[in-house]
mmCIF file of all heavy atoms in Angstrom:
data_model
loop_
_atom_site.group_PDB
_atom_site.id
_atom_site.type_symbol
_atom_site.label_atom_id
_atom_site.label_comp_id
_atom_site.label_asym_id
_atom_site.label_seq_id
_atom_site.Cartn_x
_atom_site.Cartn_y
_atom_site.Cartn_z
ATOM 1 N N LEU A 730 254.120 141.635 109.517
ATOM 2 C CA LEU A 730 252.678 141.604 109.840
ATOM 3 C C LEU A 730 252.495 142.218 111.200
ATOM 4 O O LEU A 730 253.134 141.880 112.172
ATOM 5 C CB LEU A 730 252.148 140.186 109.799
ATOM 6 C CG LEU A 730 250.676 140.009 110.120
ATOM 7 C CD1 LEU A 730 249.803 140.648 109.016
ATOM 8 C CD2 LEU A 730 250.315 138.532 110.273
ATOM 9 N N LEU A 731 251.596 143.232 111.291
ATOM 10 C CA LEU A 731 251.338 143.922 112.529
ATOM 11 C C LEU A 731 250.482 143.139 113.442
ATOM 12 O O LEU A 731 249.452 142.538 113.002
ATOM 13 C CB LEU A 731 250.754 145.296 112.247
ATOM 14 C CG LEU A 731 251.655 146.347 111.574
ATOM 15 C CD1 LEU A 731 250.902 147.527 111.075
ATOM 16 C CD2 LEU A 731 252.778 146.739 112.494
ATOM 17 N N ASP A 732 250.783 143.086 114.701
ATOM 18 C CA ASP A 732 250.090 142.316 115.732
ATOM 19 C C ASP A 732 249.357 143.353 116.623
ATOM 20 O O ASP A 732 250.039 144.096 117.304
ATOM 21 C CB ASP A 732 250.999 141.448 116.502
ATOM 22 C CG ASP A 732 250.246 140.559 117.536
ATOM 23 O OD1 ASP A 732 249.016 140.713 117.647
ATOM 24 O OD2 ASP A 732 250.948 139.741 118.204
ATOM 25 N N TYR A 733 248.047 143.292 116.619
ATOM 26 C CA TYR A 733 247.254 144.246 117.456
ATOM 27 C C TYR A 733 246.808 143.703 118.760
ATOM 28 O O TYR A 733 246.005 144.328 119.484
ATOM 29 C CB TYR A 733 246.054 144.758 116.679
ATOM 30 C CG TYR A 733 246.477 145.747 115.513
ATOM 31 C CD1 TYR A 733 246.799 145.198 114.235
ATOM 32 C CD2 TYR A 733 246.606 147.051 115.715
ATOM 33 C CE1 TYR A 733 247.192 146.056 113.229
ATOM 34 C CE2 TYR A 733 247.010 147.901 114.687
ATOM 35 C CZ TYR A 733 247.293 147.402 113.476
ATOM 36 O OH TYR A 733 247.677 148.213 112.444
ATOM 37 N N GLY A 734 247.298 142.495 119.100
ATOM 38 C CA GLY A 734 247.014 141.898 120.424
ATOM 39 C C GLY A 734 245.507 141.568 120.547
ATOM 40 O O GLY A 734 244.822 141.298 119.619
ATOM 41 N N GLU A 735 245.108 141.603 121.850
ATOM 42 C CA GLU A 735 243.732 141.183 122.147
ATOM 43 C C GLU A 735 242.699 142.108 121.603
ATOM 44 O O GLU A 735 241.567 141.671 121.300
ATOM 45 C CB GLU A 735 243.615 141.108 123.714
ATOM 46 C CG GLU A 735 244.458 140.067 124.359
ATOM 47 C CD GLU A 735 244.246 139.978 125.897
ATOM 48 O OE1 GLU A 735 243.401 140.797 126.368
ATOM 49 O OE2 GLU A 735 244.832 139.120 126.530
ATOM 50 N N GLU A 736 243.011 143.376 121.462
ATOM 51 C CA GLU A 736 242.009 144.345 120.950
ATOM 52 C C GLU A 736 241.682 144.076 119.462
ATOM 53 O O GLU A 736 240.549 144.352 119.011
ATOM 54 C CB GLU A 736 242.517 145.781 121.108
ATOM 55 C CG GLU A 736 242.621 146.228 122.586
ATOM 56 C CD GLU A 736 243.062 147.617 122.672
ATOM 57 O OE1 GLU A 736 243.207 148.328 121.614
ATOM 58 O OE2 GLU A 736 243.209 148.116 123.811
ATOM 59 N N GLY A 737 242.652 143.533 118.751
ATOM 60 C CA GLY A 737 242.402 143.241 117.350
ATOM 61 C C GLY A 737 242.520 144.437 116.432
ATOM 62 O O GLY A 737 242.464 145.596 116.881
ATOM 63 N N ARG A 738 242.754 144.177 115.136
ATOM 64 C CA ARG A 738 242.848 145.265 114.172
ATOM 65 C C ARG A 738 241.553 145.837 113.810
ATOM 66 O O ARG A 738 240.565 145.160 113.565
ATOM 67 C CB ARG A 738 243.593 144.693 112.957
ATOM 68 C CG ARG A 738 243.777 145.719 111.804
ATOM 69 C CD ARG A 738 244.670 145.199 110.712
ATOM 70 N NE ARG A 738 244.194 143.916 110.201
ATOM 71 C CZ ARG A 738 243.254 143.836 109.192
ATOM 72 N NH1 ARG A 738 242.760 144.921 108.691
ATOM 73 N NH2 ARG A 738 242.867 142.653 108.774
ATOM 74 N N GLN A 739 241.463 147.170 113.862
ATOM 75 C CA GLN A 739 240.264 147.872 113.431
ATOM 76 C C GLN A 739 240.245 148.014 111.935
ATOM 77 O O GLN A 739 241.247 147.795 111.228
ATOM 78 C CB GLN A 739 240.208 149.270 114.089
ATOM 79 C CG GLN A 739 240.245 149.204 115.597
ATOM 80 C CD GLN A 739 239.061 148.431 116.198
ATOM 81 O OE1 GLN A 739 237.951 148.586 115.864
ATOM 82 N NE2 GLN A 739 239.429 147.418 117.020
ATOM 83 N N GLU A 740 239.060 148.387 111.387
ATOM 84 C CA GLU A 740 238.874 148.352 109.936
ATOM 85 C C GLU A 740 239.907 149.067 109.169
ATOM 86 O O GLU A 740 240.401 148.590 108.124
ATOM 87 C CB GLU A 740 237.460 148.880 109.584
ATOM 88 C CG GLU A 740 237.160 148.814 108.084
ATOM 89 C CD GLU A 740 235.747 149.369 107.754
ATOM 90 O OE1 GLU A 740 235.074 149.751 108.679
ATOM 91 O OE2 GLU A 740 235.407 149.345 106.592
ATOM 92 N N ASN A 741 240.321 150.269 109.584
ATOM 93 C CA ASN A 741 241.231 151.083 108.832
ATOM 94 C C ASN A 741 242.682 151.000 109.321
ATOM 95 O O ASN A 741 243.526 151.801 108.886
ATOM 96 C CB ASN A 741 240.804 152.544 108.752
ATOM 97 C CG ASN A 741 239.576 152.706 107.898
ATOM 98 O OD1 ASN A 741 239.335 151.981 106.931
ATOM 99 N ND2 ASN A 741 238.710 153.671 108.244
ATOM 100 N N ASP A 742 242.975 150.098 110.223
ATOM 101 C CA ASP A 742 244.307 149.943 110.705
ATOM 102 C C ASP A 742 245.179 149.257 109.632
ATOM 103 O O ASP A 742 244.683 148.366 108.908
ATOM 104 C CB ASP A 742 244.364 149.067 111.976
ATOM 105 C CG ASP A 742 243.837 149.785 113.216
ATOM 106 O OD1 ASP A 742 243.833 151.055 113.183
ATOM 107 O OD2 ASP A 742 243.408 149.109 114.138
ATOM 108 N N PRO A 743 246.462 149.656 109.514
ATOM 109 C CA PRO A 743 247.298 148.953 108.513
ATOM 110 C C PRO A 743 247.522 147.518 108.850
ATOM 111 O O PRO A 743 247.497 147.166 110.053
ATOM 112 C CB PRO A 743 248.594 149.779 108.565
ATOM 113 C CG PRO A 743 248.576 150.493 109.897
ATOM 114 C CD PRO A 743 247.113 150.728 110.189
ATOM 115 N N VAL A 744 247.715 146.651 107.867
ATOM 116 C CA VAL A 744 247.952 145.283 107.999
ATOM 117 C C VAL A 744 249.386 144.925 108.158
ATOM 118 O O VAL A 744 249.826 144.108 108.948
ATOM 119 C CB VAL A 744 247.332 144.520 106.840
ATOM 120 C CG1 VAL A 744 247.483 142.979 107.049
ATOM 121 C CG2 VAL A 744 245.858 144.865 106.635
ATOM 122 N N TRP A 745 250.207 145.614 107.342
ATOM 123 C CA TRP A 745 251.618 145.331 107.304
ATOM 124 C C TRP A 745 252.416 146.582 107.536
ATOM 125 O O TRP A 745 251.871 147.673 107.435
ATOM 126 C CB TRP A 745 252.005 144.760 105.843
ATOM 127 C CG TRP A 745 251.201 143.576 105.396
ATOM 128 C CD1 TRP A 745 250.038 143.576 104.710
ATOM 129 C CD2 TRP A 745 251.550 142.246 105.666
ATOM 130 N NE1 TRP A 745 249.620 142.315 104.483
ATOM 131 C CE2 TRP A 745 250.548 141.424 105.066
ATOM 132 C CE3 TRP A 745 252.616 141.566 106.323
ATOM 133 C CZ2 TRP A 745 250.517 140.053 105.080
ATOM 134 C CZ3 TRP A 745 252.638 140.179 106.341
ATOM 135 C CH2 TRP A 745 251.599 139.416 105.738
ATOM 136 N N THR A 746 253.684 146.430 107.771
ATOM 137 C CA THR A 746 254.622 147.533 107.849
ATOM 138 C C THR A 746 255.974 147.096 107.303
ATOM 139 O O THR A 746 256.208 145.845 107.197
ATOM 140 C CB THR A 746 254.824 148.069 109.268
ATOM 141 O OG1 THR A 746 255.482 149.350 109.209
ATOM 142 C CG2 THR A 746 255.593 147.152 110.167
ATOM 143 N N VAL A 747 256.787 148.006 106.912
ATOM 144 C CA VAL A 747 258.122 147.689 106.338
ATOM 145 C C VAL A 747 259.206 148.373 107.186
ATOM 146 O O VAL A 747 259.009 149.563 107.544
ATOM 147 C CB VAL A 747 258.203 148.168 104.882
ATOM 148 C CG1 VAL A 747 259.629 147.934 104.325
ATOM 149 C CG2 VAL A 747 257.175 147.471 104.026
ATOM 150 N N VAL A 748 260.241 147.644 107.518
ATOM 151 C CA VAL A 748 261.342 148.196 108.332
ATOM 152 C C VAL A 748 262.657 148.005 107.657
ATOM 153 O O VAL A 748 262.806 147.084 106.813
ATOM 154 C CB VAL A 748 261.357 147.581 109.763
ATOM 155 C CG1 VAL A 748 260.043 147.840 110.520
ATOM 156 C CG2 VAL A 748 261.660 146.097 109.661
ATOM 157 N N VAL A 749 263.638 148.837 107.958
ATOM 158 C CA VAL A 749 264.966 148.698 107.500
ATOM 159 C C VAL A 749 265.604 147.469 108.183
ATOM 160 O O VAL A 749 265.654 147.441 109.421
ATOM 161 C CB VAL A 749 265.796 149.913 107.725
ATOM 162 C CG1 VAL A 749 267.274 149.745 107.321
ATOM 163 C CG2 VAL A 749 265.189 151.116 106.948
ATOM 164 N N SER A 750 266.077 146.521 107.439
ATOM 165 C CA SER A 750 266.716 145.320 108.044
ATOM 166 C C SER A 750 268.198 145.189 107.773
ATOM 167 O O SER A 750 268.894 144.367 108.314
ATOM 168 C CB SER A 750 266.028 144.050 107.553
ATOM 169 O OG SER A 750 266.083 143.979 106.091
ATOM 170 N N LYS A 751 268.682 146.098 106.917
ATOM 171 C CA LYS A 751 270.147 146.021 106.574
ATOM 172 C C LYS A 751 270.984 146.447 107.865
ATOM 173 O O LYS A 751 270.735 147.509 108.409
ATOM 174 C CB LYS A 751 270.457 146.977 105.469
ATOM 175 C CG LYS A 751 271.893 147.022 105.007
ATOM 176 C CD LYS A 751 272.069 147.938 103.803
ATOM 177 C CE LYS A 751 273.522 147.968 103.342
ATOM 178 N NZ LYS A 751 274.332 148.890 104.126
ATOM 179 N N PRO A 752 271.896 145.623 108.232
ATOM 180 C CA PRO A 752 272.762 145.997 109.345
ATOM 181 C C PRO A 752 273.424 147.381 109.141
ATOM 182 O O PRO A 752 274.005 147.549 108.055
ATOM 183 C CB PRO A 752 273.799 144.843 109.436
ATOM 184 C CG PRO A 752 273.069 143.662 108.820
ATOM 185 C CD PRO A 752 272.235 144.253 107.725
ATOM 186 N N GLY A 753 273.351 148.198 110.139
ATOM 187 C CA GLY A 753 273.929 149.524 109.956
ATOM 188 C C GLY A 753 273.030 150.531 109.314
ATOM 189 O O GLY A 753 273.371 151.711 109.193
ATOM 190 N N GLY A 754 271.873 150.092 108.802
ATOM 191 C CA GLY A 754 270.906 151.018 108.200
ATOM 192 C C GLY A 754 271.200 151.324 106.745
ATOM 193 O O GLY A 754 272.020 150.650 106.096
ATOM 194 N N ILE A 755 270.504 152.283 106.215
ATOM 195 C CA ILE A 755 270.620 152.670 104.771
ATOM 196 C C ILE A 755 270.926 154.166 104.720
ATOM 197 O O ILE A 755 270.296 155.035 105.387
ATOM 198 C CB ILE A 755 269.241 152.406 104.058
ATOM 199 C CG1 ILE A 755 268.949 150.937 104.023
ATOM 200 C CG2 ILE A 755 269.372 152.984 102.631
ATOM 201 C CD1 ILE A 755 267.642 150.570 103.397
ATOM 202 N N GLU A 756 271.933 154.485 103.959
ATOM 203 C CA GLU A 756 272.334 155.906 103.773
ATOM 204 C C GLU A 756 271.665 156.456 102.520
ATOM 205 O O GLU A 756 271.658 155.783 101.460
ATOM 206 C CB GLU A 756 273.864 156.034 103.702
ATOM 207 C CG GLU A 756 274.562 155.647 104.961
ATOM 208 C CD GLU A 756 276.062 155.807 104.847
ATOM 209 O OE1 GLU A 756 276.532 156.175 103.751
ATOM 210 O OE2 GLU A 756 276.802 155.532 105.814
ATOM 211 N N GLU A 757 271.190 157.687 102.639
ATOM 212 C CA GLU A 757 270.550 158.326 101.453
ATOM 213 C C GLU A 757 271.548 158.444 100.306
ATOM 214 O O GLU A 757 271.089 158.366 99.160
ATOM 215 C CB GLU A 757 270.015 159.675 101.893
ATOM 216 C CG GLU A 757 269.317 160.445 100.787
ATOM 217 C CD GLU A 757 270.221 161.178 99.870
ATOM 218 O OE1 GLU A 757 271.331 161.584 100.286
ATOM 219 O OE2 GLU A 757 269.814 161.455 98.705
ATOM 220 N N GLY A 758 272.806 158.610 100.624
ATOM 221 C CA GLY A 758 273.820 158.793 99.544
ATOM 222 C C GLY A 758 274.284 157.487 98.851
ATOM 223 O O GLY A 758 275.101 157.551 97.956
ATOM 224 N N ASP A 759 273.788 156.344 99.346
ATOM 225 C CA ASP A 759 274.175 155.078 98.767
ATOM 226 C C ASP A 759 273.522 154.868 97.415
ATOM 227 O O ASP A 759 272.287 154.656 97.374
ATOM 228 C CB ASP A 759 273.842 153.916 99.731
ATOM 229 C CG ASP A 759 274.194 152.544 99.222
ATOM 230 O OD1 ASP A 759 274.700 152.464 98.079
ATOM 231 O OD2 ASP A 759 273.962 151.550 99.922
ATOM 232 N N GLY A 760 274.278 154.941 96.351
ATOM 233 C CA GLY A 760 273.698 154.907 95.029
ATOM 234 C C GLY A 760 272.984 153.585 94.723
ATOM 235 O O GLY A 760 272.123 153.530 93.847
ATOM 236 N N ASP A 761 273.266 152.511 95.477
ATOM 237 C CA ASP A 761 272.620 151.229 95.233
ATOM 238 C C ASP A 761 271.276 151.086 96.007
ATOM 239 O O ASP A 761 270.548 150.142 95.871
ATOM 240 C CB ASP A 761 273.530 150.117 95.680
ATOM 241 C CG ASP A 761 274.636 149.865 94.681
ATOM 242 O OD1 ASP A 761 274.412 150.162 93.487
ATOM 243 O OD2 ASP A 761 275.707 149.424 95.057
ATOM 244 N N ALA A 762 270.958 152.108 96.830
ATOM 245 C CA ALA A 762 269.754 151.978 97.660
ATOM 246 C C ALA A 762 268.540 152.481 96.915
ATOM 247 O O ALA A 762 267.702 153.265 97.489
ATOM 248 C CB ALA A 762 269.965 152.816 98.983
ATOM 249 N N ILE A 763 268.372 152.111 95.690
ATOM 250 C CA ILE A 763 267.093 152.336 94.974
ATOM 251 C C ILE A 763 266.617 150.930 94.537
ATOM 252 O O ILE A 763 267.419 150.101 94.049
ATOM 253 C CB ILE A 763 267.346 153.292 93.713
ATOM 254 C CG1 ILE A 763 265.992 153.565 93.052
ATOM 255 C CG2 ILE A 763 268.389 152.654 92.732
ATOM 256 C CD1 ILE A 763 266.042 154.709 92.051
ATOM 257 N N PHE A 764 265.296 150.715 94.737
ATOM 258 C CA PHE A 764 264.793 149.370 94.605
ATOM 259 C C PHE A 764 263.620 149.330 93.671
ATOM 260 O O PHE A 764 262.788 150.231 93.640
ATOM 261 C CB PHE A 764 264.335 148.860 96.008
ATOM 262 C CG PHE A 764 265.359 149.077 97.062
ATOM 263 C CD1 PHE A 764 265.255 150.023 98.071
ATOM 264 C CD2 PHE A 764 266.549 148.269 97.055
ATOM 265 C CE1 PHE A 764 266.212 150.238 99.033
ATOM 266 C CE2 PHE A 764 267.537 148.458 97.999
ATOM 267 C CZ PHE A 764 267.343 149.455 99.031
ATOM 268 N N LEU A 765 263.561 148.270 92.889
ATOM 269 C CA LEU A 765 262.459 148.029 91.996
ATOM 270 C C LEU A 765 261.319 147.369 92.786
ATOM 271 O O LEU A 765 261.541 146.321 93.439
ATOM 272 C CB LEU A 765 262.865 147.142 90.823
ATOM 273 C CG LEU A 765 263.981 147.644 89.904
ATOM 274 C CD1 LEU A 765 264.267 146.564 88.852
ATOM 275 C CD2 LEU A 765 263.554 148.935 89.237
ATOM 276 N N VAL A 766 260.154 147.915 92.730
ATOM 277 C CA VAL A 766 258.973 147.356 93.329
ATOM 278 C C VAL A 766 258.027 146.902 92.230
ATOM 279 O O VAL A 766 257.620 147.723 91.397
ATOM 280 C CB VAL A 766 258.284 148.371 94.265
ATOM 281 C CG1 VAL A 766 257.006 147.777 94.888
ATOM 282 C CG2 VAL A 766 259.233 148.797 95.358
ATOM 283 N N ASP A 767 257.672 145.667 92.190
ATOM 284 C CA ASP A 767 256.781 145.147 91.170
ATOM 285 C C ASP A 767 255.370 145.552 91.507
ATOM 286 O O ASP A 767 254.974 145.931 92.607
ATOM 287 C CB ASP A 767 256.914 143.631 91.118
ATOM 288 C CG ASP A 767 256.912 143.090 89.703
ATOM 289 O OD1 ASP A 767 256.485 143.839 88.799
ATOM 290 O OD2 ASP A 767 257.370 141.929 89.476
ATOM 291 N N HIS A 768 254.524 145.446 90.493
ATOM 292 C CA HIS A 768 253.100 145.774 90.669
ATOM 293 C C HIS A 768 252.309 144.453 90.607
ATOM 294 O O HIS A 768 252.389 143.669 89.699
ATOM 295 C CB HIS A 768 252.578 146.703 89.564
ATOM 296 C CG HIS A 768 253.234 148.071 89.627
ATOM 297 N ND1 HIS A 768 253.007 149.036 88.701
ATOM 298 C CD2 HIS A 768 253.994 148.641 90.607
ATOM 299 C CE1 HIS A 768 253.710 150.124 89.037
ATOM 300 N NE2 HIS A 768 254.294 149.870 90.176
ATOM 301 N N ALA A 769 251.506 144.264 91.706
ATOM 302 C CA ALA A 769 250.754 143.052 91.822
ATOM 303 C C ALA A 769 249.521 143.026 90.931
ATOM 304 O O ALA A 769 249.013 141.980 90.589
ATOM 305 C CB ALA A 769 250.366 142.829 93.305
ATOM 306 N N TRP A 770 248.996 144.230 90.642
ATOM 307 C CA TRP A 770 247.770 144.284 89.858
ATOM 308 C C TRP A 770 247.705 145.637 89.145
ATOM 309 O O TRP A 770 247.872 146.662 89.739
ATOM 310 C CB TRP A 770 246.570 144.146 90.793
ATOM 311 C CG TRP A 770 245.218 144.102 90.153
ATOM 312 C CD1 TRP A 770 244.968 143.784 88.824
ATOM 313 C CD2 TRP A 770 243.967 144.373 90.727
ATOM 314 N NE1 TRP A 770 243.590 143.806 88.588
ATOM 315 C CE2 TRP A 770 242.940 144.150 89.758
ATOM 316 C CE3 TRP A 770 243.560 144.726 92.040
ATOM 317 C CZ2 TRP A 770 241.602 144.352 90.029
ATOM 318 C CZ3 TRP A 770 242.238 144.969 92.307
ATOM 319 C CH2 TRP A 770 241.232 144.735 91.315
ATOM 320 N N THR A 771 247.549 145.588 87.853
ATOM 321 C CA THR A 771 247.351 146.806 87.043
ATOM 322 C C THR A 771 246.010 146.692 86.315
ATOM 323 O O THR A 771 245.668 145.645 85.759
ATOM 324 C CB THR A 771 248.475 146.955 85.985
ATOM 325 O OG1 THR A 771 249.764 147.029 86.721
ATOM 326 C CG2 THR A 771 248.318 148.169 85.220
ATOM 327 N N PHE A 772 245.213 147.764 86.346
ATOM 328 C CA PHE A 772 243.834 147.635 85.879
ATOM 329 C C PHE A 772 243.261 148.997 85.580
ATOM 330 O O PHE A 772 243.781 150.035 85.994
ATOM 331 C CB PHE A 772 242.950 146.993 86.956
ATOM 332 C CG PHE A 772 243.004 147.683 88.256
ATOM 333 C CD1 PHE A 772 242.021 148.612 88.618
ATOM 334 C CD2 PHE A 772 243.974 147.410 89.234
ATOM 335 C CE1 PHE A 772 242.095 149.236 89.829
ATOM 336 C CE2 PHE A 772 244.059 148.049 90.421
ATOM 337 C CZ PHE A 772 243.054 148.988 90.735
ATOM 338 N N ARG A 773 242.245 149.030 84.782
ATOM 339 C CA ARG A 773 241.360 150.179 84.619
ATOM 340 C C ARG A 773 240.102 149.953 85.432
ATOM 341 O O ARG A 773 239.664 148.767 85.596
ATOM 342 C CB ARG A 773 241.026 150.432 83.160
ATOM 343 C CG ARG A 773 242.213 150.811 82.310
ATOM 344 C CD ARG A 773 241.810 151.318 80.937
ATOM 345 N NE ARG A 773 242.964 151.516 80.042
ATOM 346 C CZ ARG A 773 243.664 152.641 79.990
ATOM 347 N NH1 ARG A 773 243.356 153.661 80.750
ATOM 348 N NH2 ARG A 773 244.670 152.720 79.138
ATOM 349 N N MET A 774 239.536 150.989 85.979
ATOM 350 C CA MET A 774 238.479 150.811 86.974
ATOM 351 C C MET A 774 237.265 150.079 86.414
ATOM 352 O O MET A 774 236.589 149.367 87.147
ATOM 353 C CB MET A 774 238.054 152.187 87.535
ATOM 354 C CG MET A 774 239.006 152.727 88.588
ATOM 355 S SD MET A 774 239.436 151.613 89.906
ATOM 356 C CE MET A 774 237.788 151.090 90.545
#
């Protein structure tokens, strides 16, 4: 969760961010470094 301090988050500022947490980082050539991301909501407009 991003902390914008005293100024506060503006309307179009991002709320969250994602960082690499694996010790040593992630190598592009690591065949296991592909991840399934679920969908929270699927809909027609």
Side-chain angles (χ1 to χ4, degrees):
L730 180 65
L731 291 169
D732 184 356
Y733 289 90
E735 294 182 0
E736 293 184 1
R738 179 170 55 87
Q739 302 302 307
E740 182 179 0
N741 288 330
D742 288 338
V744 182
W745 306 90
T746 193
V747 176
V748 299
V749 175
S750 57
K751 179 176 181 279
I755 297 175
E756 295 181 358
E757 182 276 333
D759 180 357
D761 286 331
I763 185 167
F764 311 108
L765 299 178
V766 177
D767 223 339
H768 293 172
W770 184 22
T771 301
F772 55 94
R773 295 191 188 272
M774 282 310 304

